Amino acid sequence: MWEQLDLFTQQILVSKEQHIYLAKRLTEHGLSDVGHFVSLLDESEILTGQVVVAENTQLFVVEKQVVNGHIVQQNDLLRVQKTQQNLEQYLAAKLKADYPIIRTLFDE
């Protein structure tokens, strides 16, 4: 019985007041295939494509907001902060020489 109670307390039911997003980790090889649940430290909203940074300095790109009523495991929730860039701006800043290629990728 205690194990069942412990499992229940580790889950979060997403409400309208919570800002929890599905994001993918940004690596040197591109975006990871694995999605992560992230929550903002400052509790403000972020947009799709926003680059956010976790407490361990890993970068993530927001894919979508988790809908109300969705259950998220507490252990899976990463706390993040917004950066001032979306994915296109981040890549353009990191790869200045390849900026025309980036524009082509995002414009198509």
Side-chain angles (χ1 to χ4, degrees):
M1 180 177 159
W2 291 113
E3 291 173 359
Q4 290 175 340
L5 287 175
D6 188 41
L7 178 63
F8 179 74
T9 59
Q10 292 179 9
Q11 296 178 344
I12 299 172
L13 183 62
V14 178
S15 69
K16 290 180 182 177
E17 295 80 31
Q18 292 173 306
H19 299 290
I20 297 176
Y21 300 85
L22 183 64
K24 291 192 175 177
R25 195 161 69 91
L26 183 60
T27 68
E28 63 273 8
H29 304 293
L31 287 178
S32 169
D33 291 336
V34 179
H36 297 270
F37 292 113
V38 300
S39 175
L40 287 178
L41 290 174
D42 61 5
E43 298 301 326
S44 63
E45 285 194 78
I46 53 181
L47 303 173
T48 300
Q50 177 77 47
V51 177
V52 294
V53 62
E55 293 170 333
N56 62 2
T57 70
Q58 287 183 326
L59 295 176
F60 292 86
V61 178
V62 172
E63 286 213 331
K64 63 181 179 179
Q65 187 167 10
V66 176
V67 293
N68 296 339
H70 189 93
I71 294 177
V72 175
Q73 292 290 332
Q74 179 72 40
N75 297 349
D76 296 337
L77 193 61
L78 297 172
R79 303 290 283 174
V80 296
Q81 291 181 326
K82 283 195 297 189
T83 66
Q84 298 300 315
Q85 299 172 319
N86 63 29
L87 181 56
E88 182 179 0
Q89 293 166 332
Y90 176 82
L91 291 175
K94 292 292 182 188
L95 306 169
K96 290 180 183 174
D98 293 329
Y99 188 71
I101 295 170
I102 293 169
R103 293 297 297 165
T104 301
L105 289 173
F106 280 95
D107 289 341
E108 289 183 357

